[in-house]
Amino acid sequence: MSFLNNLRTGVKLIGSFLIIAVITAVVGVLGIYYIKQIDAADTRLYQNQTVPLGQIADAAVAFQRTRVNLRDMILAADTAEAQKYADTIKTLDEQIVTLSADYEKLIVAPEMRALFDDYTKDYAEFKGYRDTIMALALAGKQDEALTTLRGDAFASAKAVETALDAMQVMKTEQAKALADENTATANQATTIMIIIVVGAALLGVGFGVIISNSIANPLAFLTKLAKALSVGDMVRDVSEAEKDTVRKRKDEIGDISNAFDALINYMQGMGVSATAISENDLTTTVTPKSPKDELGNSFAKMIAGLRDAVSQIAEGANSVSIAASQLTTAAEQSRRSHQPDRHHHSTGRARHRPADRRRHQDLRLRRADGTRH
């Protein structure tokens, strides 16, 4: 998984498409291979079984027609009619020879070769009897020809028929066996293709999930950080281990994560400076990251302005303190210079105090008399 995380996103996407393309190509190649296998099996079934069966059937028909024409040749009314049947027999023989030669070319199994050799021997024997019968018929010896036809020629003909029937039965069995083999091949090909298709689909889905998680999960984590930053949360509760899961990647997501990490560090630094300023600590220093660092430049200007304002206030307070000290000194000097005059006035007031007390007493007595009357 770490290997996948260290690949660039473009490489991952192109690689995933290439893998899907390779899987598709493998499925296609295997499909073509099995289709060709089945096609070749069908071709063998047709060429080596179906066609030979037709050839055997045609040879059997031609052989039976030969026997019929031999009989008709014996029973012909005259030599001209007998010659016509003889020509037909000759044509049928050529057909049998041609069909037998074509059939022999398609023989594959040794068992069929043995049956074909028996057939060839039996037919060659029959041809000897056939030629004898034809000669007798053309010579007008119908009784001898008929005796031969019903005797040794009949037994030879039955041997040929038996050989043809045996070849036909064996060829039918071979055709059935080959058809069953073709069916088994088709079923096997179908099973293999289903397994490959299902496996390819699961592999594609699994690879897609892995690629998706490799991209979506870290993006979701970065989105969470971005949303937190957007509402002023400095994400100080996010551990370094959590951050390492994305920022140590070597792909574009790792680049974005490192940029986010730098942003978080920047915002946290600004938060520390803002906290210090709110606590009246102007010793903190903010260094802008660049001339375009609006927040850093603003903080630096604000701190400088606050320091300047505090310095001016301190200077004003110092001036007020000096002025107050000067006023205190002047007042003290003034008090000391007026102390003799205050003593003289206080002595005069003391002389008049007894007379004043007597006047007040007389006044209270008169008020008291008035009240009684």
Side-chain angles (χ1 to χ4, degrees):
M1 191 66 180
S2 60
F3 169 76
L4 189 62
N5 291 339
N6 292 332
L7 292 177
R8 308 297 288 181
T9 302
V11 175
K12 280 188 282 196
L13 293 177
I14 293 174
S16 62
F17 286 128
L18 287 177
I19 289 175
I20 297 300
V22 169
I23 293 173
T24 304
V26 169
V27 172
V29 169
L30 288 174
I32 293 171
Y33 169 76
Y34 284 114
I35 288 173
K36 286 187 174 294
Q37 257 195 341
I38 295 171
D39 179 64
D42 285 340
T43 300
R44 287 195 305 272
L45 177 63
Y46 173 76
Q47 291 181 346
N48 297 336
Q49 308 300 332
T50 306
V51 171
L53 279 172
Q55 292 169 341
I56 292 174
D58 292 342
V61 170
F63 180 72
Q64 294 301 329
R65 288 183 62 193
T66 298
R67 294 180 65 192
V68 171
N69 278 274
L70 274 176
R71 183 199 64 190
D72 292 341
M73 183 178 179
I74 295 172
L75 300 176
D78 52 34
T79 305
E81 185 179 356
Q83 185 61 49
K84 183 181 67 172
Y85 289 122
D87 292 339
T88 302
I89 291 172
K90 182 179 179 182
T91 301
L92 291 172
D93 179 64
E94 291 175 353
Q95 290 179 4
I96 292 172
V97 170
T98 301
L99 289 169
S100 298
D102 292 340
Y103 180 84
E104 184 180 14
K105 294 176 183 177
L106 300 176
I107 293 176
V108 177
E111 298 85 358
M112 183 59 71
R113 170 61 63 181
L115 286 177
F116 183 78
D117 291 342
D118 291 341
Y119 156 76
T120 303
K121 182 181 68 173
D122 292 338
Y123 184 68
E125 182 181 351
F126 174 79
K127 284 175 69 175
Y129 291 118
R130 182 200 67 188
D131 292 342
T132 299
I133 293 170
M134 290 175 65
L136 291 171
L138 290 173
K141 301 177 180 181
Q142 283 82 4
D143 292 338
E144 293 181 22
L146 191 59
T147 300
T148 304
L149 178 64
R150 291 175 178 175
D152 294 336
F154 180 78
S156 178
K158 285 298 181 182
V160 174
E161 286 181 0
T162 301
L164 287 171
D165 290 341
M167 287 194 296
Q168 191 169 19
V169 169
M170 181 175 285
K171 187 59 69 174
T172 302
E173 291 175 350
Q174 290 178 347
K176 185 178 183 305
L178 186 57
D180 293 341
E181 182 182 343
N182 292 348
T183 301
T185 301
N187 291 337
Q188 180 185 20
T190 301
T191 302
I192 293 174
M193 288 303 298
I194 289 174
I195 293 173
I196 292 174
V197 169
V198 171
L202 292 176
L203 182 62
V205 171
F207 196 75
V209 170
I210 292 173
I211 292 294
S212 175
N213 289 338
S214 174
I215 296 174
N217 290 344
L219 285 181
F221 176 72
L222 293 176
T223 302
K224 175 184 175 183
L225 296 182
K227 288 182 177 180
L229 288 172
S230 68
V231 295
D233 183 355
M234 297 303 173
V235 293
R236 300 183 190 276
D237 56 338
V238 179
S239 66
E240 295 299 314
E242 289 181 280
K243 294 179 182 178
D244 285 342
T245 59
V246 289
R247 67 185 176 188
K248 287 188 176 182
R249 295 166 60 116
K250 303 301 182 184
D251 58 356
E252 289 84 352
I253 294 176
D255 296 341
I256 296 173
S257 177
N258 287 322
F260 256 94
D261 195 48
L263 174 61
I264 291 170
N265 291 334
Y266 172 77
M267 294 301 294
Q268 289 178 348
M270 291 295 108
V272 170
S273 298
T275 301
I277 293 171
S278 68
E279 294 175 352
N280 301 321
D281 181 8
L282 300 181
T283 60
T284 185
T285 302
V286 175
T287 304
K289 301 294 183 181
S290 70
K292 293 184 177 181
D293 181 5
E294 296 183 12
L295 190 59
N297 285 309
S298 297
F299 261 73
K301 290 178 181 179
M302 180 176 65
I303 292 173
L306 289 173
R307 286 175 180 173
D308 187 42
V310 169
S311 176
Q312 291 179 4
I313 291 172
E315 290 179 0
N318 188 38
S319 299
V320 170
S321 176
I322 292 172
S325 176
Q326 291 175 351
L327 287 174
T328 301
T329 301
E332 182 65 22
Q333 292 175 354
S334 176
R335 183 182 65 79
R336 290 176 179 175
S337 63
H338 288 81
Q339 278 183 352
D341 294 335
R342 286 199 301 271
H343 178 72
H344 173 75
H345 289 303
S346 62
T347 304
R349 285 196 298 270
R351 292 195 188 104
H352 293 290
R353 281 176 187 167
D356 292 335
R357 283 198 292 270
R358 286 194 295 273
R359 283 196 298 272
H360 287 300
Q361 289 176 353
D362 293 339
L363 180 59
R364 284 197 297 269
L365 290 172
R366 284 195 295 269
R367 288 178 179 172
D369 292 336
T371 302
R372 284 194 296 266
H373 291 291

